Amino acid sequence: MTTITTRTVEYPADGLTMIGHLALPSGTGPRPAVLIGPEGVGLNDFQRRRADALAELGYVALAFDINGGRWFTDPREMLAHTTPLLADPARMRDIGHAALKVLHAEPRTDPDRIAAIGYGTGGLIALELGRDGVDLRAIGTVNALTTGHPGEADRIRCPVWAGVGSQDPIMSAAQRDAFAAEMQSAGVDWRLTVYGGAQHAFHHPPVDQQTVPGVAHHPLHAERAWRDIVGLLTECVPVPA
Amino acid sequence: MTTITTRTVEYPADGLTMIGHLALPSGTGPRPAVLIGPEGVGLNDFQRRRADALAELGYVALAFDINGGRWFTDPREMLAHTTPLLADPARMRDIGHAALKVLHAEPRTDPDRIAAIGYGTGGLIALELGRDGVDLRAIGTVNALTTGHPGEADRIRCPVWAGVGSQDPIMSAAQRDAFAAEMQSAGVDWRLTVYGGAQHAFHHPPVDQQTVPGVAHHPLHAERAWRDIVGLLTECVPVPA
């Protein structure tokens, strides 16, 4: 493990004060940078640790915030916040652009090599940045397969990798097919990995022992999805030796 | 690159004399071993090179033969040989078991850590070994998604990773769904990666410039599929340090 530097960053977006977690790799000079979008629940140490792990691999990494510093443990509260957000691509893009601005303001960021990854709500924000024409080098999402406004996927010019659980009732097989068709007809360089038996949010440890139907942690597939994400970054935004 | 040793192995199977290509890693002592099933066209240096590449990573690797030493450049000749083979799981298993016997006879093979991977016809043979109850540590297939005899997938007790091109007319979306359903209902630890835009045999360089509808080389996805296969082996049969 290498020495990394982390700091909390506050910035405005979506009418809230967002509290992100920025992790910088050891060394000096510009490095490829990664936006990391959290699950709808928001940021806790689990999501922040993703940024730390990428910084250990040599990336400038921002675990961005979508909830104004809140982390929801009550699924109803989470849905009350995210449902209207997911229905409003302009709000999602606003949140994504604000996070991007934080990355751009960081001197260690190589502005020509920025990737966006995310989980659930955060993954959809990564996709919306692509559909908005942001010049990203890679988009990686887990459990985030909604289609966008017709025609806008044409603006995605980087490889897209998406992962999803086969038994995810929220990201149905029909939704997977629609997403694949959108990517394919837009001429995007895309891939989709289906994790057999995994349910929604399989990448996330249980929250407060609550049981939500269709949601379950799957540690083995979670590890694989992380390796798949790291593989995407290694391919598209390799860290200079 | 490390020094590897290769040799041609002749052995009987399916009423033919098979001519496989065995590659041994440097060093001494037992190592995890991999069966590598070829496309229906059979073995040429492209398929043999896969065994060499795995030996360079530390595996005992056998690129096994399915055609009695032939390599078909004429698609009609290839189909005339493989179509009856694909309709006869017993023949496929015979070919797989004969190859497995070669691996077991090699002193460098760790008999408790054998994986089977394959492409097209060779991938189906890897799956049939699993459905036949062979104790494999991993099965990886590209363009090989046919379902087996009802109930036999229950015998697969290792992780299965499968890759396929989204635009493969031979491995249709319906076939992908049927394969996924078979794996899921058998309780197999499975994954499926769909490579966007890739057609059938996307992993294989063009054969004699012939154009076959629905078949096309996709170098970028081919490289990714290879990395995905190596990732499966790294997870399930890691080479001891």
Side-chain angles (χ1 to χ4, degrees):
Chain A
M1 192 179 300
T2 62
T3 304
I4 63 168
T5 309
T6 66
R7 71 168 182 267
T8 299
V9 281
E10 297 199 6
Y11 58 96
D14 197 33
L16 299 166
T17 297
M18 299 298 184
I19 307 177
H21 176 80
L22 182 67
L24 303 178
S26 64
T28 55
R31 291 289 184 280
V34 186
L35 285 180
I36 309 166
E39 292 86 347
V41 291
L43 259 63
N44 74 353
D45 281 346
F46 177 74
Q47 282 81 5
R48 293 185 190 104
R49 172 67 198 144
R50 290 180 183 137
D52 298 351
L54 291 183
E56 283 162 12
L57 294 174
Y59 294 99
V60 173
L62 175 66
F64 68 80
D65 181 13
I66 60 174
N67 294 339
R70 301 275 321 268
W71 187 69
F72 299 116
T73 53
D74 182 340
R76 287 163 304 184
E77 204 178 2
M78 185 270 284
L79 286 174
H81 183 81
T82 55
T83 304
L85 176 61
L86 295 179
D88 191 341
R91 277 182 65 200
M92 289 199 275
R93 291 175 187 192
D94 176 50
I95 291 173
H97 278 285
L100 199 58
K101 207 169 152 186
V102 173
L103 266 193
H104 275 288
E106 166 51 49
R108 295 294 306 280
T109 295
D110 178 344
D112 293 325
R113 286 185 294 160
I114 295 179
I117 67 170
Y119 296 78
T121 303
L124 295 176
I125 291 173
L127 281 166
E128 282 305 320
L129 285 179
R131 293 186 182 112
D132 200 28
V134 173
D135 187 23
L136 298 167
R137 287 287 170 271
I139 296 174
T141 77
V142 183
N143 285 352
L145 295 178
T146 53
T147 48
H149 286 305
E152 289 189 346
D154 295 357
R155 298 182 192 157
I156 300 177
R157 285 179 306 272
C158 64
V160 170
W161 172 89
V164 69
S166 72
Q167 309 307 110
D168 185 334
I170 298 169
M171 298 288 156
S172 67
Q175 196 158 329
R176 298 202 298 261
D177 292 346
F179 177 78
E182 181 196 29
M183 294 293 118
Q184 182 61 23
S185 81
V188 173
D189 173 14
W190 66 277
R191 273 175 295 164
L192 174 65
T193 295
V194 182
Y195 299 99
Q199 299 185 60
H200 196 66
F202 68 89
H203 38 86
H204 198 292
V207 177
D208 280 358
Q209 272 69 50
Q210 292 198 54
T211 303
V212 179
V215 173
H217 189 212
H218 194 305
L220 185 55
H221 281 320
E223 198 182 314
R224 290 165 174 164
W226 178 252
R227 284 200 301 259
D228 285 339
I229 286 274
V230 171
L232 175 76
L233 298 175
T234 304
E235 175 190 319
C236 300
V237 280
V239 175
Chain B
M1 193 180 299
T2 62
T3 305
I4 64 168
T5 309
T6 66
R7 71 169 184 267
T8 300
V9 282
E10 297 198 6
Y11 58 97
D14 197 32
L16 299 167
T17 297
M18 299 298 185
I19 307 177
H21 175 82
L22 182 68
L24 303 178
S26 64
T28 56
R31 292 288 184 280
V34 186
L35 285 180
I36 310 166
E39 292 85 346
V41 292
L43 259 63
N44 73 354
D45 281 347
F46 177 74
Q47 281 81 6
R48 294 186 189 101
R49 170 70 197 143
R50 290 182 184 136
D52 298 350
L54 291 183
E56 283 161 12
L57 294 174
Y59 294 98
V60 174
L62 175 66
F64 68 80
D65 182 12
I66 59 174
N67 295 338
R70 302 274 321 267
W71 188 68
F72 299 116
T73 53
D74 181 341
R76 287 163 303 182
E77 205 178 1
M78 185 271 282
L79 286 174
H81 183 80
T82 56
T83 304
L85 175 62
L86 295 179
D88 191 342
R91 278 181 63 200
M92 290 199 275
R93 291 173 188 193
D94 175 52
I95 291 173
H97 278 286
L100 199 58
K101 209 169 151 186
V102 172
L103 266 193
H104 275 287
E106 166 52 49
R108 296 293 305 282
T109 295
D110 179 343
D112 293 326
R113 286 185 293 161
I114 295 179
I117 67 169
Y119 296 79
T121 303
L124 295 176
I125 291 173
L127 281 166
E128 282 304 320
L129 285 178
R131 294 186 183 111
D132 199 28
V134 172
D135 186 23
L136 298 167
R137 287 287 170 269
I139 296 174
T141 77
V142 183
N143 285 352
L145 295 178
T146 53
T147 49
H149 286 307
E152 289 189 347
D154 294 358
R155 299 181 189 156
I156 299 176
R157 287 180 304 273
C158 65
V160 170
W161 172 90
V164 69
S166 72
Q167 308 308 109
D168 185 334
I170 298 168
M171 297 287 157
S172 67
Q175 196 159 328
R176 297 201 299 261
D177 292 347
F179 177 79
E182 181 196 29
M183 293 295 118
Q184 182 61 24
S185 82
V188 174
D189 172 15
W190 66 276
R191 274 175 293 164
L192 174 65
T193 295
V194 181
Y195 299 98
Q199 299 185 60
H200 195 65
F202 68 88
H203 39 86
H204 198 293
V207 177
D208 281 359
Q209 271 70 53
Q210 291 198 57
T211 304
V212 179
V215 173
H217 189 213
H218 194 306
L220 184 55
H221 281 320
E223 197 181 316
R224 290 166 175 164
W226 178 252
R227 283 200 302 259
D228 286 339
I229 286 273
V230 170
L232 174 77
L233 298 175
T234 304
E235 175 190 319
C236 300
V237 280
V239 174

